[in-house]
Amino acid sequence: MDIESIAERLDTLPPGEKREVLVLLDELADARVRAESNDDFLAFVKEVWPAFIEGNHHRVMADAFNRIASGELKRLIINMPPRHTKSEFASHLFPAWYLGKFPDRKVIQTAHTAELAVGFGRKVRNLVGSAEYAKIFPGVALSADSKAAGRWNTNKQGDYFAIGVGGAVTGKGADILIVDDPHSEQEAALNDPDVYNKTYEWYTSGPRQRLQPGGAICLVMTRWSTKDLTGSILKASIERGGADEWEIIELPAILPSGKPLWPGFWPLDQLESLRAELPVPKWSAQYQQDPTSEEGA
């Protein structure tokens, strides 16, 4: 008998039994939420972010994050325009969910400035320390001495470390490395190849070298140049014969179909007025179908 059927029969029970059944139903509902939120990233998002406005592109990202957690996917690049929740997903909610599932693992978070990276660390730390998080991942919490926003631990020996591009990562390891917008708009405006080269050199000699055996990398960014970190990584991968090692999700603000990527938040008329300022990356062969349609979702 399902919960709805039981609830419909509550009024037929004596008051004492009714109270007991209500308590059991609440516990069952909580257990169902925990199970769904543990197993599925998007279910977790909906539970901890009630105001979340879902788009089909979120399901594409969530599927990739689920496969990273399961160990199926090791190298992921997400190229998206600004203000489409790529950072909220990749650098806030995903590491929190990942550490809930695997509280003994290590996360390295990077961004183009240390201030931005530490800001992500603060948001993840605050979520891990929240009451709603404890309901989903009971027993997982911050260690007693975790006060720094960019460097903290879980009570299960897990480790979170945030760093800006160019910073040192000596002594740190990563089961997952998250690189979020390694280039700023100001850097992009300079159009200086040396800026992109330095970022790539730092990535390969620094955080990339800290990856644990079997670890995963998630690069999420807005494309500004063919020489940016996405371009440099893919070029190097092709040159060494590993072109297929990276899964690439490229989602422009306005899709090839002419529809907006996220109509629930960015209507087409607003995107059209900003189109000159928004990058429109090459459509990925992996997602030829429109992800706002049922077939491409």
Side-chain angles (χ1 to χ4, degrees), residues 4-289:
E4 291 74 16
S5 298
I6 296 173
E8 290 175 358
R9 301 186 182 188
L10 280 177
D11 290 337
T12 65
L13 299 175
E17 292 183 14
K18 182 177 181 179
R19 284 192 296 271
E20 292 179 4
V21 172
L22 285 172
V23 170
L24 291 174
L25 288 176
D26 286 342
E27 293 176 353
L28 182 59
D30 289 343
R32 177 180 290 180
V33 167
R34 282 196 300 273
E36 292 176 349
S37 298
N38 268 262
D39 292 342
D40 182 69
F41 172 71
L42 197 57
F44 169 78
V45 171
K46 294 175 181 179
E47 190 62 27
V48 301
W49 188 5
F52 169 60
I53 301 173
E54 183 178 350
N56 284 339
H57 68 297
H58 294 119
R59 290 195 284 274
V60 173
M61 287 190 287
D63 173 71
F65 292 151
N66 284 338
R67 288 183 287 120
I68 288 178
S70 70
E72 177 186 346
L73 178 58
K74 300 295 185 182
R75 301 290 184 270
L76 173 66
I77 292 175
I78 299 176
N79 295 150
M80 285 175 54
R83 300 296 306 279
H84 280 71
T85 69
K86 66 181 187 300
S87 292
E88 192 69 21
F89 260 45
S91 298
H92 174 208
L93 298 167
F94 176 54
W97 177 72
Y98 184 84
L99 285 171
K101 290 175 67 67
F102 311 109
D104 60 339
R105 294 192 183 178
K106 303 177 185 299
V107 174
I108 292 181
Q109 170 77 57
T110 75
H112 64 263
T113 67
E115 181 180 6
L116 185 58
V118 170
F120 289 140
R122 181 176 295 106
K123 293 181 71 174
V124 179
R125 183 198 61 184
N126 291 347
L127 179 53
V128 171
S130 68
E132 61 263 33
Y133 188 88
K135 290 181 180 179
I136 297 170
F137 299 109
V140 179
L142 298 170
S143 64
D145 59 349
S146 287
K147 297 180 180 179
R151 302 184 181 189
W152 47 267
N153 304 94
T154 70
N155 61 342
K156 306 294 184 182
Q157 306 304 312
D159 184 75
Y160 180 98
F161 180 66
I163 188 172
V165 169
V169 290
T170 305
K172 293 294 181 180
D175 291 294
I176 183 164
L177 167 63
I178 302 171
V179 183
D180 190 324
D181 274 332
H183 312 294
S184 68
E185 294 183 41
Q186 291 75 20
E187 289 176 344
L190 295 174
N191 198 28
D192 183 354
D194 287 341
V195 172
Y196 296 123
N197 292 338
K198 287 179 181 178
T199 299
Y200 180 67
E201 290 171 4
W202 169 79
Y203 161 79
T204 56
S205 63
R208 174 63 182 82
Q209 298 299 320
R210 310 312 303 175
L211 206 63
Q212 303 272 82
I217 302 173
C218 175
L219 168 60
V220 54
M221 62 179 289
T222 297
R223 296 298 305 272
W224 299 109
S225 166
T226 57
K227 298 179 180 179
D228 59 20
L229 188 55
T230 289
S232 298
I233 287 174
L234 295 181
K235 179 182 177 182
S237 180
I238 292 170
E239 288 175 350
R240 65 173 180 270
D244 295 331
E245 66 181 344
W246 288 89
E247 178 170 318
I248 307 167
I249 299 173
E250 293 181 342
L251 300 172
I254 300 176
L255 299 166
S257 63
K259 299 177 182 178
L261 175 61
W262 192 12
F265 191 82
W266 282 110
L268 184 60
D269 58 343
Q270 292 188 31
L271 288 177
E272 289 285 5
S273 66
L274 296 171
R275 193 167 193 172
E277 302 175 21
L278 289 172
V280 183
K282 181 182 178 182
W283 186 250
S284 171
Q286 185 174 1
Y287 290 99
Q288 290 291 343
Q289 291 179 310

